[in-house]
Amino acid sequence: MAAVMMRILGLPTIGGAMRQSPTEAKSCARQTPRKGCVAAAHGHRSSSGMSSLATLPGMRCGRRVALAAPPAAISRRRGVSRAAAPTVASFNGNSGSSGGAGTRVLIIGGDGYCGWATALHLSQRGYEVCILDNLVRRTYDLQLGLETLTPIASIHERIRKWQEVSGKQIDLRIGDVVDFDFLAGVFKDFNPEAVVHFGEQRSAPYSMIDRSKAVYTQHNNVIGTVNVLFAIKEFNPHCHLVKLGTMGEYGTPNIDIEEGFITIEHNGRSDTLPYPKQANSFYHLSKVHDSHNIHFATKVWKLAATDLNQGIVYGVKTEETVAAPELINRYDYDGVFGTALNRFVVQAAVGHPLTVYGKGGQTRGFLDIRDTVRCIQIAIDNPAEPGEMRVYNQFTEQFSVNDIAGIVKREGGKLGLNVEVTSVPNPRVEAEEHYYNAKHSKLQDLGLQPHLLGDNMVETLLSFAIENKHRVNMDLIKPAVDWRKTGTADASGSAAVAR
């Protein structure tokens, strides 16, 4: 499977890198017995590049990585300042609720945007965290010529710095959940009580670049999730799967969106059924397939699952990611991986008009990255029952694209920025004016206290973008992936820069 993905990404194949030998599996085995399992999953793929495997001498896929102190040369090469890094004594992160402290949590895709923030959030609160990542998210950037606004450190340096700052250790496994033998080895070795599965290609535009990206997205996301289901069934059927999906599964129906299920009456009979899905990209369709597969597995194998349909995430800072420069999260502003608010903030910071797609009436749910990590913790601490698939809509507020542009324009003006808003032809095929009212009470009923999009939050984001605007590549501002033009020829070279 690794070779297939490498060919799709246009990278050289690393022979045998994705399969762990029996000898290696034995050498990685833990000495203490494990029991119990809880699992969580998400619609965002892991974060570093698959090509990074070729740059890790002596590392074999599936081996637990022991991390020594990072050489100063690595930090200088990355451009990350090592001055005034907090020590464990000076890091006063608010531990908050820690109802599941001590729980073993496997975070698939833990080097990504949501995954990294979640790993630190849980580690700080006493959970025993292991990151599983094939490092492919960084390869997407290399493949398309993209770059995060923030100079993120390698996953190895990140984990070393976290241990230095917090005194807490995060385990690391390099490999791919599409390779079931590798995944099985991790399950048997780490034996997680929680599995947070962020390990999916998470961009709708990426899935619409060309045929190979569409096929890769569906294969990677659907097969990976099926493998996780089989791993739970085979090695611990009591595991709780919390699968972080997307609000995009629902589309924009002309009725209220319920949290996963809807009760209908038809010809004198009534039933409660999964809410109808109207996905709008090959990525969103992969998430729909995930939801159906998970629902099926809960029924036939009596697994426990929670599907978190997440809205659009914004922000870059959590209390843990600001503890040291090496811990900073990625911030995508391009037209492939950048989300609406994050893109508008960067556009305002560099003096580029805010690019509203079409009429701008597209309305979606939004949430702060700080609420994402809290929602994951809530889901882990409050598992579903065996045979149950719960669905929570994971967002805190809903806005139209025009609403978001107006907020950024107003707050930019307070900082002396001359922010203009312009309408550009919509590269997507979607309703630009529509009814939208999605329910989202279940997570708040379980204790979520939302961080709402107030003026201070937007001002903080703008200040952060202004501070880092020297890293912005202006060629990446405009959207370049058009839903109507998705073809069979490889389009990697033109996917990021509008012509």
Side-chain angles (χ1 to χ4, degrees):
M1 294 301 181
V4 172
M5 188 183 73
M6 299 288 273
R7 286 195 293 271
I8 290 173
L9 294 176
L11 298 171
T13 302
I14 303 174
M18 297 307 297
R19 191 170 297 272
Q20 185 182 35
S21 70
T23 301
E24 290 168 332
K26 183 177 180 180
S27 70
C28 289
R30 295 222 167 184
Q31 301 302 313
T32 56
R34 304 284 189 179
K35 59 183 179 179
C37 181
V38 182
H42 178 15
H44 289 67
R45 185 61 192 173
S46 58
S47 76
S48 301
M50 178 64 75
S51 61
S52 299
L53 291 174
T55 66
L56 301 177
M59 180 176 291
R60 298 294 301 276
C61 182
R63 185 182 297 278
R64 185 167 64 244
V65 181
L67 299 174
I74 297 178
S75 295
R76 289 194 296 269
R77 184 170 67 248
R78 286 282 182 181
V80 179
S81 170
R82 298 184 59 80
T87 63
V88 64
S90 64
F91 176 50
N92 296 315
N94 179 14
S95 62
S97 172
S98 55
T103 302
R104 292 184 299 277
V105 182
L106 177 65
I107 301 182
I108 302 172
D111 190 36
Y113 175 53
C114 291
W116 176 241
T118 299
L120 298 191
H121 176 87
L122 295 177
S123 176
Q124 173 61 17
R125 285 152 184 80
Y127 297 76
E128 184 180 343
V129 175
C130 174
I131 288 176
L132 185 164
D133 205 303
N134 70 350
L135 311 181
V136 76
R137 175 60 189 90
R138 300 181 191 230
T139 295
Y140 300 153
D141 285 352
L142 296 174
Q143 178 192 33
L144 302 179
L146 308 175
E147 188 173 22
T148 168
L149 181 68
T150 48
I152 57 174
S154 72
I155 183 60
H156 304 86
E157 187 173 3
R158 281 175 153 186
I159 291 175
R160 281 191 290 261
K161 175 53 68 173
W162 175 245
Q163 184 171 1
E164 176 185 327
V165 167
S166 69
K168 296 175 169 59
Q169 182 175 347
I170 292 178
D171 203 352
L172 174 64
R173 309 301 174 92
I174 305 296
D176 196 333
V177 295
V178 173
D179 180 352
F180 185 76
D181 290 345
F182 163 74
L183 179 63
V186 175
F187 257 79
K188 289 185 285 188
D189 182 21
F190 185 69
N191 195 7
E193 295 173 286
V195 179
V196 182
H197 179 16
F198 293 105
E200 300 198 334
Q201 193 294 102
R202 58 121 172 141
S203 165
Y206 185 94
S207 75
M208 300 300 294
I209 291 173
D210 55 40
R211 185 204 64 83
S212 68
K213 310 303 185 299
V215 171
Y216 165 73
T217 298
Q218 296 249 332
H219 180 271
N220 180 80
N221 294 1
V222 176
I223 301 305
T225 298
V226 168
N227 279 349
V228 172
L229 291 169
F230 270 94
I232 293 172
K233 173 185 179 292
E234 182 70 19
F235 304 113
N236 194 335
H238 300 293
C239 288
H240 173 219
L241 175 64
V242 183
K243 187 268 189 183
L244 193 50
T246 170
M247 289 296 296
E249 292 186 34
Y250 298 119
T252 55
N254 199 37
I255 59 174
D256 290 355
I257 297 174
E258 304 297 330
E259 298 201 54
F261 297 87
I262 184 170
T263 300
I264 63 172
E265 293 185 3
H266 181 66
N267 291 339
R269 302 185 68 84
S270 177
D271 201 354
T272 298
L273 302 170
Y275 196 94
K277 307 297 178 69
Q278 301 181 72
N280 195 43
S281 73
F282 287 116
Y283 156 71
H284 290 106
L285 284 164
S286 76
K287 307 305 285 186
V288 171
H289 302 328
D290 284 345
S291 295
H292 289 158
N293 287 335
I294 294 168
H295 193 200
F296 173 74
T298 61
K299 290 190 296 183
V300 299
W301 297 334
K302 302 303 179 184
L303 304 184
T306 300
D307 195 357
L308 298 176
N309 285 334
Q310 181 165 258
I312 298 171
V313 186
Y314 59 83
V316 66
K317 296 180 180 179
T318 64
E319 62 185 65
E320 292 81 27
T321 62
V322 298
E326 294 87 346
L327 302 179
I328 195 67
N329 209 343
R330 65 181 304 118
Y331 187 110
D332 298 305
Y333 63 91
D334 56 85
V336 179
F337 288 96
T339 56
L341 179 55
N342 283 353
R343 288 193 301 108
F344 286 171
V345 164
V346 168
Q347 290 170 2
V350 299
H352 191 284
L354 310 188
T355 52
V356 172
Y357 294 172
K359 296 178 180 178
Q362 303 93 317
T363 302
R364 304 290 187 269
F366 288 78
L367 78 160
D368 191 303
I369 183 67
R370 293 172 294 178
D371 291 334
T372 290
V373 300
R374 180 70 180 116
C375 288
I376 296 297
Q377 182 187 355
I378 288 172
I380 293 172
D381 292 349
N382 299 275
E385 296 295 329
E388 178 190 14
M389 176 179 169
R390 303 180 306 186
V391 180
Y392 298 158
N393 292 342
Q394 183 169 302
F395 70 96
T396 57
E397 300 175 274
Q398 62 182 46
F399 300 98
S400 71
V401 175
N402 284 333
D403 292 336
I404 295 295
I407 293 171
V408 173
K409 178 179 175 66
R410 183 182 70 242
E411 295 307 306
K414 294 179 181 179
L415 296 177
L417 301 175
N418 181 22
V419 182
E420 298 180 358
V421 179
T422 186
S423 174
V424 300
N426 193 343
R428 306 186 179 206
V429 179
E430 62 185 357
E432 297 178 3
E433 295 177 319
H434 56 84
Y435 177 81
Y436 195 83
N437 184 37
K439 307 295 181 60
H440 57 104
S441 62
K442 292 182 179 179
L443 284 164
Q444 293 186 41
D445 291 344
L446 289 174
L448 175 66
Q449 298 178 346
H451 297 83
L452 301 181
L453 185 62
D455 295 346
N456 290 340
M457 179 61 192
V458 178
E459 181 180 344
T460 299
L461 283 173
L462 282 166
S463 298
F464 178 83
I466 292 170
E467 179 183 349
N468 292 277
K469 69 178 183 179
H470 62 282
R471 291 179 53 85
V472 174
N473 182 343
M474 298 294 287
D475 290 336
L476 304 180
I477 292 291
K478 295 182 179 180
V481 179
D482 191 322
W483 266 228
R484 302 163 187 83
K485 298 179 180 179
T486 305
T488 59
D490 180 75
S492 300
S494 59
V497 179
R499 302 299 181 185

